Amino acid sequence: MADKKVETNNLSDDHVAKKPKLDESPDENPHEIHSNIKDLSTFKVEKILNNNTKSKIVCLQGTFSNADGAGLVILEKTAFEEDNLKCNSKYFTSSSYLKKIFHNDIYGNYEYFPVLELNSIKTTVIHPATEKHIEKYCVQNPYIVDETPDVYQSIVLPYIIKEQFDLQWVYNILEHKSEVDRILFEDPDPKNGFVLLPDLKWNGITLDTLYLLAIVNDRNIKSIRDLQGDHVRLLKNIYNKGCQAIEEKYGLTKSQLRIYLHYQPSFYHLHVHFTYLRHEAPGIHAERAHLLSNVISNIELLADYYQKVTLPFIVRETDKLFKVLEDNNILKKSSIKD
Ligand code: M7G
């Protein structure tokens, strides 16, 4: 398992000294639980943070009896895999069980229990979870903020530097310390290169929910706000080589992919999301997703477009940033003048 590494990240030197308190690990070996965990019998649920009946994802906060600190368990019922449903279906065998609830004339209601291997629940465990992780997975009231360049420089950037999530998992991927066998494509060029691999949100199997992430090698780009003319090559490289690798492996062409960046992202190291167009992944809506092709085109038109533009983003009520923006009267102000 990767050692915890104190690495100068994409932010100022100052940031290293003032590493975000919220993200400090409460014990020496924060990965311990992941090397030993066999089942979830040691997890004690304390709070249901979110239960989304549409996406069928539940986020639970609790503790593990064998480890200190808060933990999060995120359970997701996965989509059907078409290959398993086609002829010679794995779903319809005599080892499955059909329980009748009632029938009325030609209509029957049943509960169906297919074989165990088809009943898996995608599970993410975050331990030790910080206050900021817990906030991220809670249902909360969202608000939209029109972030002018001035608001970014004076309020948002200082907040990001102080409070951002730890990026160790990103560096572990770039340094081949974690998820090495999951890498689909890699361009090692330090300026224009990136690593492409399945996102944490994807089980890596069900094509209908395909979700990959391209993480750039350059550690000096926090988000689209930092993108300038000399990043066009990097972005085009991600677009072209990312699409090619996905087509070769999964048979989906670039016109079947939604390729975008988040603003604001959760993690301030530039990365690009690749999802299947048919899949309604979280975070694909207008208030957060910026299509890579638009981003490239904007920078080609105006090299410092993202330093000049007003960028709307979503802030949630319990985010510390919400309070800072409210105190500065930013939430009520509109950047659109009559
Ligand atoms: P984001 O736009 O910063 O924020 O995306 P979001 O999480 O609110 O979407 C970061 C992306 O990185 C997300 O799609 C996460 O699912 C993904 N991700 C996060 N972690 C901690 C990991 C990880 O450890 N491995 C991989 N492969 N993906 C991760």
Side-chain angles (χ1 to χ4, degrees):
M1 196 53 63
D3 290 326
K4 190 109 180 123
K5 189 166 173 254
V6 181
E7 178 86 37
T8 306
N9 68 2
N10 40 5
L11 301 170
S12 62
D13 285 341
D14 195 31
H15 167 70
V16 175
K18 293 184 212 146
K19 214 166 179 329
K21 289 191 187 66
L22 281 175
D23 266 322
E24 274 169 5
S25 307
D27 62 22
E28 284 290 302
N29 181 3
H31 304 293
E32 188 194 50
I33 195 151
H34 297 291
S35 38
N36 299 323
I37 201 161
K38 296 275 189 305
D39 59 48
L40 289 174
S41 59
T42 56
F43 185 64
K44 187 165 167 280
V45 179
E46 287 174 351
K47 199 169 171 192
I48 299 171
L49 300 179
N50 196 349
N51 182 8
N52 188 324
T53 53
K54 185 165 185 267
S55 59
K56 300 188 178 57
I57 297 177
V58 69
C59 305
L60 306 168
Q61 181 190 341
T63 49
F64 288 89
S65 57
N66 51 346
D68 292 338
L72 290 179
V73 171
I74 298 135
L75 305 174
E76 176 181 357
K77 295 218 180 188
T78 46
F80 291 100
E81 264 175 68
E82 290 189 12
D83 278 352
N84 291 336
L85 291 162
K86 286 176 187 155
C87 48
N88 299 325
S89 171
K90 284 194 194 167
Y91 274 93
F92 310 122
T93 63
S94 55
S95 7
S96 55
Y97 169 58
L98 190 68
K99 182 179 160 197
K100 187 192 266 181
I101 299 172
F102 74 92
H103 87 270
N104 180 351
D105 190 40
I106 60 170
Y107 306 99
N109 245 5
Y110 301 87
E111 265 189 293
Y112 190 50
F113 302 91
V115 289
L116 202 63
E117 56 164 307
L118 298 177
N119 272 322
S120 76
I121 291 182
K122 183 179 178 300
T123 303
T124 304
V125 175
I126 303 178
H127 183 273
T130 64
E131 212 181 291
K132 204 168 157 63
H133 286 110
I134 295 167
E135 245 172 40
K136 177 172 152 82
Y137 287 98
C138 274
V139 212
Q140 296 168 29
N141 275 342
Y143 291 82
I144 210 149
V145 186
D146 285 328
E147 184 196 77
T148 59
D150 181 47
V151 168
Y152 176 70
Q153 288 298 337
S154 60
I155 298 175
V156 179
L157 181 59
Y159 169 83
I160 293 168
I161 291 173
K162 202 161 149 251
E163 302 285 354
Q164 70 159 328
F165 275 123
D166 191 3
L167 295 173
Q168 192 58 49
W169 69 271
V170 173
Y171 302 146
N172 287 346
I173 290 172
L174 295 178
E175 291 165 17
H176 292 184
K177 291 177 174 172
S178 298
E179 304 189 51
V180 189
D181 51 344
R182 286 160 49 83
I183 294 177
L184 175 64
F185 176 81
E186 184 166 11
D187 176 343
D189 186 89
K191 190 159 161 48
N192 297 315
F194 65 98
V195 171
L196 180 71
L197 81 171
D199 190 278
L200 181 71
K201 294 193 197 98
W202 189 37
N203 65 6
I205 302 165
T206 317
L207 195 66
D208 291 278
T209 54
L210 177 132
Y211 197 145
L212 291 109
L213 204 60
I215 302 176
V216 303
N217 291 334
D218 187 339
R219 298 187 182 197
N220 296 305
I221 319 168
K222 291 182 285 306
S223 72
I224 56 174
R225 263 288 178 217
D226 288 338
L227 291 174
Q228 293 182 335
D230 61 351
H231 294 125
V232 168
R233 272 192 65 192
L234 163 70
L235 299 174
K236 287 189 173 172
N237 197 32
I238 294 176
Y239 187 87
N240 291 327
K241 292 186 183 154
C243 287
Q244 193 185 342
I246 291 175
E247 181 163 5
E248 278 167 17
K249 170 85 180 183
Y250 301 105
L252 295 180
T253 61
K254 58 176 79 173
S255 54
Q256 294 175 292
L257 298 172
R258 181 188 295 108
I259 310 166
Y260 56 97
L261 300 99
H262 278 155
Y263 197 75
Q264 302 277 347
S266 297
F267 298 97
Y268 288 89
H269 174 111
L270 196 82
H271 54 273
V272 178
H273 304 252
F274 287 74
T275 62
Y276 186 20
L277 208 47
R278 273 173 51 176
H279 174 44
E280 286 185 32
I284 58 169
H285 299 112
E287 68 277 16
R288 191 151 189 235
H290 296 249
L291 288 180
L292 178 60
S293 52
N294 275 348
V295 173
I296 294 173
S297 158
N298 289 336
I299 306 173
E300 279 186 325
L301 280 173
L302 194 64
D304 59 353
Y305 178 89
Y306 285 101
Q307 287 76 59
K308 289 193 164 148
V309 74
T310 292
L311 288 171
F313 73 86
I314 291 290
V315 65
R316 300 187 306 165
E317 222 163 18
T318 56
D319 286 359
K320 281 193 179 167
L321 182 60
F322 178 83
K323 173 98 181 63
V324 182
L325 293 165
E326 236 192 354
D327 291 349
N328 285 276
N329 213 19
I330 305 297
L331 290 166
K332 293 200 188 102
K333 264 191 225 159
S334 170
S335 62
I336 302 170
K337 306 264 183 311
D338 288 333

